[in-house]
């Protein structure tokens, strides 16, 4: 339990002069209030004076209210991170053929808009590029960057809305199979993309009674975009 965990941690501190603890994505904790109460103890209990704590999180009200009582806020949105994101976005645009067909001024506008709108979130910028690459008209792209979603949740909703009808079944099947595979094997047994593709082809053949499929790794990457890592 939490009390025993803290006792063990306190005992372990005897072997160190100072201990740095980094916690990434605090907002993803399934038992968030328990986690926040532990962090409160680590920061305020004199037993743990050796610990230097850094925690990252997306902006959630309950986390801000609790952490604000005993921590100093350091926003990730700053000129240095914005510059890094701009370099990253420029590199992604340079690496993909579809972006290369865009006029230079449009590419420059996208780079600037995404780097400032990301507010320190690289993942947000990656997903916006996935949305933009699905558009084929300059006016559409310019309108899109004027009304970018503010949060990652809103971003994912918009990504799903842009998936074409012909791709929806493939994306749905992919996400189902990835989640099922991970629940069985966890990260230590990766799911080979070719097995996923062959499984979908077999399903498609049973459903349509045809083997004239055109699915391959590029089809999968293009359909799923930033929803799946390869």
């Amino acid at each position: 339990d939490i009390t025993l965990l803290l006792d063990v941690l306190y005992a372990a501190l005897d072997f160190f002069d100072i201990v740095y603890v980094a916690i990434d994505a605090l907002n993803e904790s399934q038992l968030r209030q328990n986690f926040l109460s532990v962090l409160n103890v680590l920061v305020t209990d004199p037993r743990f004076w050796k610990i230097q704590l850094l925690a990252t999180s997306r902006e959630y009200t309950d986390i801000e209210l609790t952490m604000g009582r005993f921590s100093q806020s350091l926003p990730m949105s700053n000129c240095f991170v914005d510059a890094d994101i701009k370099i990253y976005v420029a590199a992604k645009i340079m690496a993909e053929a579809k972006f290369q067909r865009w006029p230079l001024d449009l590419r420059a506008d996208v780079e600037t808009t995404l780097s400032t709108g990301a507010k320190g979130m690289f993942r947000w910028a990656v997903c916006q590029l996935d949305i933009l690459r699905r558009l084929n008209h300059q006016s559409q792209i310019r309108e899109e960057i004027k009304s970018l979603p503010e949060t990652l949740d809103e971003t994912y909703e918009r990504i799903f809305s842009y998936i074409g009808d012909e791709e929806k079944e493939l994306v749905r099947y992919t996400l189902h199979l990835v989640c099922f595979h991970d629940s069985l094997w966890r990260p230590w047994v990766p799911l080979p993309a070719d097995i996923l593709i062959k499984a979908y082809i077999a399903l498609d053949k049973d459903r349509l009674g045809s083997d004239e499929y055109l699915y391959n790794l590029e089809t999968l990457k293009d359909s799923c975009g930033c929803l799946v890592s390869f």
Side-chain angles (χ1 to χ4, degrees):
D1 59 17
I2 291 177
T3 302
L4 182 57
L5 170 68
L6 291 172
D7 288 343
V8 171
L9 182 58
Y10 174 63
L13 293 177
D14 282 343
F15 299 97
F16 304 95
D17 295 324
I18 191 168
V19 174
Y20 296 94
V21 178
I23 300 170
D24 186 38
L26 176 57
N27 55 281
E28 295 180 8
S29 171
Q30 298 301 307
L31 300 171
R32 201 149 73 206
Q33 287 308 313
N34 285 354
F35 207 160
L36 290 171
S37 67
V38 169
L39 298 187
N40 189 7
V41 172
L42 294 183
V43 174
T44 60
D45 191 324
R47 292 187 302 162
F48 300 105
W49 66 269
K50 291 183 178 181
I51 289 181
Q52 297 289 307
L53 178 67
L54 171 67
T56 68
S57 174
R58 285 160 63 185
E59 294 180 350
Y60 281 74
T61 303
D62 59 331
I63 294 176
E64 290 181 359
L65 288 175
T66 303
M67 296 290 288
R69 300 181 191 128
F70 55 82
S71 67
Q72 174 65 47
S73 175
L74 296 171
M76 287 298 294
S77 181
N78 59 66
C79 60
F80 302 106
V81 177
D82 290 349
D84 281 346
I85 292 177
K86 188 171 184 178
I87 292 170
Y88 177 82
V89 170
K92 295 291 286 186
I93 289 176
M94 285 292 293
E96 188 162 334
K98 184 168 184 178
F99 291 136
Q100 289 301 297
R101 296 195 292 269
W102 290 4
L104 288 175
D105 63 326
L106 179 58
R107 281 187 250 167
D109 287 346
V110 169
E111 289 172 19
T112 301
T113 304
L114 295 193
S115 62
T116 55
K119 298 178 182 177
M121 293 185 291
F122 272 83
R123 183 64 182 164
W124 182 90
V126 172
C127 291
Q128 304 314 317
L129 284 174
D130 186 42
I131 293 173
L132 296 176
R133 74 177 179 82
R134 297 175 185 274
L135 305 177
N136 296 301
H137 198 281
Q138 285 193 53
S139 60
Q140 282 183 306
I141 297 167
R142 293 191 186 281
E143 283 300 315
E144 189 70 36
I145 62 176
K146 290 178 183 176
S147 58
L148 293 172
E150 293 186 5
T151 67
L152 275 173
D153 290 337
E154 292 172 6
T155 298
Y156 287 127
E157 287 182 17
R158 191 170 296 190
I159 288 171
F160 281 118
S161 74
Y162 276 118
I163 296 174
D165 290 338
E166 292 184 359
E167 301 171 311
K168 284 181 180 177
E169 281 303 318
L170 175 59
V171 174
R172 182 184 292 113
Y173 182 82
T174 299
L175 296 179
H176 280 173
L177 193 56
V178 167
C179 291
F180 177 67
H181 179 274
D182 286 355
S183 69
L184 284 179
W185 299 107
R186 304 303 178 191
W188 51 81
V189 181
L191 172 62
D194 62 329
I195 288 180
L196 192 154
I197 294 167
K198 289 174 182 176
Y200 184 73
I201 288 171
L203 179 71
D204 210 32
K205 184 176 179 180
D206 288 342
R207 187 178 63 221
L208 302 177
S210 170
D211 57 0
E212 297 179 356
Y213 54 83
L214 296 172
Y215 305 114
N216 56 27
L217 182 59
E218 292 308 313
T219 308
L220 191 64
K221 287 182 176 181
D222 191 56
S223 299
C224 295
C226 71
L227 299 174
V228 177
S229 296
F230 293 88

